[in-house]
Amino acid sequence: MAIIAKRCGIKFDPPSVILIYEDEHTSKLRKRVMPVRSFSQFSDCSRAAERLKLHPRHGHYLDLVSVEQLVRLHMVLRDHLRGLSVEESLREQRRSHTHEEDLNKLSDEELNRRKAQMDVLFELNRRHKDDPDFVYDLEVEFPDNSVRETCSWDQSDEEF
């Protein structure tokens, strides 16, 4: 059965992921409720999202849903179990994406999630050989009036 995922959301009681999809053959919209079992406020969201995506009964329906989206939904579920509202959980997720943050202080789970997000951004910005504007050996001339930062390794050998 070929399906097209339209929307993906969550239900708090019982904790479930809900998928609204269109059946390609009948062009009907359908709803699938997938319970999130053995999930607590201490659960690893990325592992729970992967487990749901690989589930034999539900995996086929979640092929077109990204793991990142499932992780975000599981984080909202986990924050709800911790007593946060949906707005607070989403605000916390947005706040955690600051660039001045010290990544050394993050937990392993959070660090792996950030690395996965960085990998996605890298792949979006990456130039491939097949791209029409790809240049193999790109040379850039910087203007003479630009601010130059000096560094100790920039000095010539004659000064030593």
Side-chain angles (χ1 to χ4, degrees), residues 11-51:
K11 184 169 86 169
F12 293 122
D13 190 31
S16 306
V17 173
I18 299 173
L19 178 69
I20 307 292
Y21 65 95
E22 180 180 346
D23 187 350
E24 227 175 41
H25 299 297
T26 62
S27 298
K28 289 185 179 181
L29 283 180
R30 301 201 181 268
K31 178 171 97 172
R32 183 165 187 92
V33 178
M34 297 164 269
V36 180
R37 304 205 192 279
S38 303
F39 191 74
S40 72
Q41 61 181 343
F42 306 108
S43 296
D44 182 1
C45 294
S46 57
R47 183 171 290 152
E50 290 172 7
R51 192 171 51 227

Side-chain angles (χ1 to χ4, degrees), residues 1-3 19 32 52-65:
M1 170 171 61
I3 64 165
L19 178 69
R32 183 165 187 92
L52 185 64
K53 195 158 173 93
L54 296 175
H55 193 277
R57 292 183 65 197
H58 306 303
H60 172 71
Y61 295 95
L62 296 172
D63 282 342
L64 298 177
V65 178

